[in-house]
Structure formats: structure tokens, C-alpha cells
Amino acid sequence: MEDNKLTIIYDGEEVIADILFTHYSEVTEKNYVVFQFSDRDEISAAVFVETEGGEGYFEDVQTDEEWEMLDELLENYLGDDQDDEEAQDDESDED
């Protein structure tokens, strides 16, 4: 498995997702993983619970406050990507 991909059981099917970013919240004291399913444009998130030996499992995001925090982080993440693309476009226009 590649470092930026994960396999999830979704609706009884194994699907591949690309990890967009991870985030540790000092407020909730939880680790979050935000990912996009490889075969569609759907983006989701989960809480990563680490167990002994560096392994772990995912739990559902529980509260509206957590989803709001993750939505804000995702907007910032996507905004940064768009800014990077615009900067690259500007540089190629100058050539």
C-alpha cells in the first residue's frame, strides 16, 4: 500500500482512497484523516485511533463541531492547492 492511499470498506465494498491530509486537534485530542475516494469526487474524514505497535483503526467523526473544523481545514487545504495552481499558471504565462 502506498503511503498516501488507504483501503476502506464502504457500503460492503473495498475502495481505495487518497489521503489529502491528516490533522491532530489539541481541542478534541484526536487524529483526523481527510481523504478522497479514488473512483469519485467524494471527500470524507475519519478519526484515526492508534493502537499499540503503531497500528490503528478508524472511527466515525462524531460531532457537528468536528465536521465544521474539518470543513474549514479542507477549505484552507483546497484554497492552498488552487493558489499553487494559479501561481504555476502565472509563471507559465510569463514564459
Side-chain angles (χ1 to χ4, degrees):
M1 179 174 85
E2 294 181 37
D3 287 344
N4 63 338
K5 298 212 183 269
L6 57 101
T7 304
I8 303 170
I9 305 299
Y10 183 77
D11 288 339
E13 244 179 80
E14 254 190 30
V15 294
I16 304 295
D18 298 307
I19 297 172
L20 300 178
F21 63 90
T22 60
H23 174 72
Y24 175 76
S25 170
E26 292 181 8
V27 174
T28 63
E29 297 182 344
K30 294 179 183 178
N31 288 301
Y32 298 91
V33 178
V34 178
F35 54 90
Q36 180 172 12
F37 293 102
S38 297
D39 62 347
R40 57 188 97 111
D41 288 336
E42 184 180 347
I43 295 174
S44 192
V47 176
F48 178 73
V49 179
E50 190 171 349
T51 58
E52 290 183 31
E55 299 290 316
Y57 60 92
F58 292 108
E59 291 183 344
D60 292 336
V61 175
Q62 297 294 315
T63 67
D64 289 341
E65 291 80 12
E66 288 175 290
W67 280 115
E68 289 170 13
M69 172 195 64
L70 292 168
D71 282 341
E72 185 176 317
L73 290 167
L74 180 61
E75 285 179 23
N76 290 335
Y77 172 82
L78 294 175
D80 289 346
D81 279 355
Q82 289 174 350
D83 291 344
D84 290 345
E85 288 174 16
E86 288 172 9
Q88 288 175 352
D89 288 345
D90 289 345
E91 287 174 9
S92 60
D93 289 344
E94 292 173 4
D95 293 339

